Amino acid sequence: MNIRAKIFGGRVAAEEPLIRAKKPKGAKAEALDTIAVARETHRQSNDRGEDRHRLVGEHARITHEGTEVEVELINLSGGGAMIAGPFKAKLWDRVDLHLGANGTIECAVRWLRHGRVGLEFAHETRLDCSLHDVAKILHDVIERSFPDIALAVVESEPAMPPTADTADDHRAAPRHPLIWKGTLHHDFQSDTVRIRNISATGAMVETSAKVRVGAEPLLDLGTDVSMAATVEWAVGDQIGLRFHTAFDLNRLSSAQPTVAPKAWQPPAYMQLDQEDRWGRLSLSELSQELEGFLKR
């Protein structure tokens, strides 16, 4: 500090105060973010932007060619999964992935590399009920949600689908392109979910939101179709729900689904081509097949 300037005055003295003002410390009355709270423990990981798709130490079961095998679940999200396990698969093999109660999803092998297998999930919502009930529900949905699709008169009766006593009842069900979506109300928030499969007792839904196991959400499909449920498990983006009361799948005809796109965009890690070999029927083709099936 210039003492001479302070005594005799001058420009510097006018600009520089003799006693500097102290900066206030502590919390401000209207700013809670000025309170410093010491963290008792250090962060063990970056949990704000964690990659929920990469799984560590997670296992699941698959059914491949009639045999159940335990596999390591490496990655699960975006309509596909990456697994590794003691089974030999070929491209486009059918695989059923079992994640938990109400958590079976049909998959197809899309790539094989270094002992790992890339699975693509079936696009449509799986309806876990008898073949006849599936056909009736789909028929009612097309009539109600897609009235512009005319149910053509089938002159020759189509081939009868395999009966329910076949080894795989679901494989014989009509392949449809319909996807049901809904809203999951949980823990004071609401998130859009995709219904992967649904039965009278529960459902598996896909969502990017974090939903805790043990929560009791409400699954809302719109048009007064809603079910109270309990979250029984959560793996990656997939969540298993157990309904509190039995759900009548015929009510799905009141909830309008969307139609699976022709070109499905796979997750980057699956590195797929755009070939679609699921063999889904179009809505008009499906309506004709269902019409003949239900007349029998």
Side-chain angles (χ1 to χ4, degrees):
M1 179 170 58
N2 190 335
I3 299 297
R4 183 178 180 83
K6 294 295 181 184
I7 296 175
F8 294 101
R11 184 175 181 181
V12 176
E15 292 179 355
E16 183 180 354
L18 183 62
I19 301 177
R20 296 179 182 275
K22 292 184 178 181
K23 294 182 179 181
K25 297 182 179 180
K28 296 180 181 179
E30 298 180 355
L32 295 179
D33 59 351
T34 59
I35 303 175
V37 179
R39 185 180 294 275
E40 296 181 359
T41 59
H42 296 287
R43 291 187 185 272
Q44 301 297 320
S45 64
N46 180 12
D47 56 2
R48 292 182 180 180
E50 270 186 315
D51 182 4
R52 299 179 59 222
H53 300 166
R54 180 74 180 184
L55 304 174
V56 179
E58 196 75 49
H59 290 81
R61 291 180 301 109
I62 66 165
T63 300
H64 177 246
E65 296 182 346
T67 302
E68 284 199 1
V69 181
E70 183 173 334
V71 296
E72 179 186 2
L73 199 56
I74 301 170
N75 203 313
L76 178 70
S77 72
M82 184 193 301
I83 63 174
F87 74 103
K88 294 183 179 180
K90 301 184 296 295
L91 290 178
W92 281 102
D93 273 0
R94 152 82 180 270
V95 174
D96 282 340
L97 178 63
H98 310 287
L99 299 177
N102 297 302
T104 297
I105 185 167
E106 182 184 351
C107 312
V109 175
R110 290 302 301 258
W111 58 261
L112 304 165
R113 188 178 300 114
H114 306 305
R116 295 183 174 181
V117 179
L119 302 178
E120 176 191 344
F121 294 163
H123 303 183
E124 73 273 11
T125 297
R126 171 170 169 163
L127 307 178
D128 284 333
C129 54
S130 69
L131 279 176
H132 187 274
D133 288 342
V134 169
K136 184 178 183 304
I137 292 170
L138 294 177
H139 184 275
D140 293 345
V141 168
I142 292 175
E143 281 193 323
R144 180 176 299 207
S145 298
F146 305 96
D148 55 321
I149 301 295
L151 295 178
V153 177
V154 181
E155 296 180 358
S156 60
E157 292 185 348
M160 185 67 177
T163 56
D165 58 357
T166 55
D168 190 347
D169 183 71
H170 180 67
R171 187 189 294 228
R175 176 70 67 185
H176 65 85
L178 301 179
I179 299 172
W180 274 267
K181 296 183 179 181
T183 303
L184 194 69
H185 305 283
H186 65 101
D187 297 325
F188 304 103
Q189 66 185 65
S190 299
D191 296 289
T192 300
V193 297
R194 172 178 178 154
I195 313 300
R196 280 290 174 189
N197 63 47
I198 188 167
S199 68
T201 59
M204 178 168 70
V205 302
E206 178 181 303
T207 177
S208 59
K210 290 187 177 181
V211 184
R212 60 184 178 86
V213 175
E216 295 189 344
L218 182 72
L219 178 60
D220 184 6
L221 301 183
T223 60
D224 298 325
V225 181
S226 60
M227 300 80 77
T230 297
V231 178
E232 291 203 328
W233 55 267
V235 181
D237 288 348
Q238 313 300 320
I239 298 169
L241 302 177
R242 174 177 54 81
F243 298 151
H244 293 174
T245 58
F247 174 63
D248 181 6
L249 267 68
N250 290 295
R251 297 180 64 195
L252 287 175
S253 61
S254 299
Q256 184 170 3
T258 58
V259 180
K262 289 289 184 182
W264 175 71
Q265 295 298 322
Y269 69 84
M270 294 189 70
Q271 301 181 9
L272 309 181
D273 54 32
Q274 293 300 317
E275 183 181 8
D276 186 357
R277 293 174 55 186
W278 282 103
R280 293 192 309 270
L281 300 175
S282 66
L283 286 180
S284 57
E285 293 170 337
L286 180 62
S287 67
Q288 293 182 27
E289 182 166 317
L290 295 174
E291 187 78 0
F293 177 78
L294 291 175
K295 283 181 178 179
R296 283 181 172 263

